[in-house]
Amino acid sequence: MQITNVRAHHIRIPYDAGVASFKQGASAISALEIVLVEVSTDSGLTGWGDAFSYVCPRSSATAIDEMIAPQARGLEVPEAAGIPAFMERIQRNLHLFGRYGITMFAISALDIALWDLAARVQGVPLHRLLGARKRARIPAYASLLRIGTPDLVASECETALRRGYTAIKLHETTALAVFAARRAIGDSIPLMVDMNCPMISAEAIAFAHECKAAAPMFLEEPVWPPEDFAALAETRTKGGLDIAAGENACTVNQFRQMMDAGAVSYAQPSVTKVGGITEYLKVVDLADERGVRLAPHSPYFGPGLLATLQLLSLRDDKTFVEFFYMNRAACLWRGAIDVGADGAVAVPDGPGLGYEPDREVMERYRV
């Protein structure tokens, strides 16, 4: 079975996050930018991947068209056991263009699509290729966007709990907001704080001490720059709180450096960034070997989320799936991956990643 084409689809789905906002620079973002990657074969089977693309969809799509498609078109589709070697060749061929960022986002998309195809060939869900499924539903935490005002933070947390969520993650950088959330949700609900790399280590250590009484499960990426693993380790040691990081790391090699430095309590591989399912699995093996817990990064709604659900179904350690807290105008999967009243998301049972994207939604929101 040969790869006949690799095509990027740029889909833009508007959303409403209420009082919250998501900004890159000065611009507010009000739509989910999704770059679906369709890998076609001469057998008629199709695999679907997902390139990370928050504010760079055209760049991610161009990387698929200019770097990935020429590398993959005409090659034999590997069986599951052959995907790591296949992707190693792709990484080697493209290393000149960087080992992180757009290049790796595009590589991740191809890798996810190949795993989707490998499972579809066998007619089984992806998790069946990787081990025994231990969970049919994965608990989701509400990943709130940046709000800022403590009273509004508290109100949104309360609403999320009413909708069934059993854990909350903030994107806040003030202790007032953290304590407002804790008072709103009570002592028993896990609370995480994602900071998006704003501080030097001394500031982050002080912030950790300020927040300690609110008992956050972890502080996520408190330090700038994100690759300063020594500063992250110092924050973890002197701040007295668990630290999570990894959405800005790529390949298992960066995660090894991070863990060698003692920088993290929770590793956060992002399947659409790290190098796909292949690299994600390597990171999980390394984390388990080092006694580092897992908290994957997954605030997206394309095939990357389906892949994350499949991968988390293999674990029985109550690991959460991250779910962006917003109302989308449409769903590529016909609402099948929405969070239920129990605060969990069902692991798809269909072949491959589990679902085919809704072509009608793709056409309606195609850019």
Side-chain angles (χ1 to χ4, degrees), residues 34-318:
I34 303 172
V35 175
L36 293 174
V37 176
E38 181 181 11
V39 176
S40 305
T41 69
D42 59 3
S43 73
L45 284 177
T46 297
W48 293 93
D50 195 352
F52 190 79
S53 54
Y54 276 176
V55 294
C56 58
R58 290 181 181 84
S59 300
S60 291
T62 299
I64 296 295
D65 293 339
E66 295 187 350
M67 289 193 284
I68 298 300
Q71 292 287 329
R73 198 180 290 121
L75 296 183
E76 288 291 319
V77 176
E79 296 180 353
I83 292 175
F86 185 103
M87 294 309 302
E88 169 98 1
R89 290 197 301 275
I90 298 290
Q91 286 196 28
R92 284 174 178 266
N93 290 346
L94 296 176
H95 79 275
L96 176 65
F97 307 103
R99 297 279 292 156
Y100 182 68
I102 301 297
T103 305
M104 291 305 297
F105 300 170
I107 285 172
S108 298
L110 175 63
D111 183 88
I112 293 167
L114 290 179
W115 280 100
D116 186 29
L117 271 171
R120 288 178 185 275
V121 167
Q122 298 296 320
V124 300
L126 174 62
H127 63 261
R128 287 273 297 277
L129 294 186
L130 303 173
R133 188 173 80 172
K134 297 176 181 176
R135 297 185 292 174
R137 295 184 65 80
I138 310 300
Y141 67 76
S143 188
L144 275 59
L145 302 184
R146 183 69 55 84
I147 298 170
T149 306
D151 287 348
L152 293 177
V153 169
S155 176
E156 287 296 280
C157 288
E158 291 166 352
T159 302
L161 293 188
R162 286 196 297 271
R163 291 184 178 181
Y165 286 95
T166 56
I168 303 287
K169 186 167 84 174
L170 308 177
H171 285 78
E172 305 292 339
T173 56
T174 69
L176 287 175
V178 176
F179 278 98
R182 175 53 76 199
R183 287 191 296 270
I185 65 178
D187 294 336
S188 62
I189 298 294
L191 177 65
M192 296 149 270
V193 184
D194 188 350
M195 301 177 67
N196 296 123
C197 316
M199 300 176 176
I200 63 172
S201 59
E203 294 168 334
I205 291 165
F207 181 80
H209 285 293
E210 275 189 90
C211 292
K212 192 173 296 185
M217 181 173 148
F218 57 66
L219 297 184
E220 180 175 339
E221 292 196 320
V223 170
W224 175 262
E227 67 272 21
D228 189 344
F229 300 140
L232 206 57
E234 182 181 34
T235 301
R236 182 179 177 223
T237 300
K238 296 181 179 179
L241 290 177
D242 283 332
I243 297 295
E247 70 170 271
N248 284 307
C250 228
T251 80
V252 71
N253 299 300
Q254 276 202 311
F255 277 89
R256 185 175 292 109
Q257 293 165 6
M258 186 189 303
M259 293 180 200
D260 284 347
V264 289
S265 317
Y266 289 85
Q268 296 186 291
S270 180
V271 76
T272 66
K273 289 179 166 184
V274 73
I277 291 166
T278 299
E279 290 292 333
Y280 181 105
L281 291 169
K282 293 177 185 177
V283 173
V284 169
D285 286 345
L286 179 67
D288 287 345
E289 176 189 314
R290 301 290 185 90
V292 174
R293 286 160 285 182
L294 186 67
H297 174 265
S298 62
Y300 25 74
F301 290 101
L305 179 56
L306 300 188
T308 304
L309 291 169
Q310 294 281 346
L311 292 162
L312 286 178
S313 76
L314 302 170
R315 303 186 69 83
D316 59 3
D317 54 5
K318 295 185 171 61

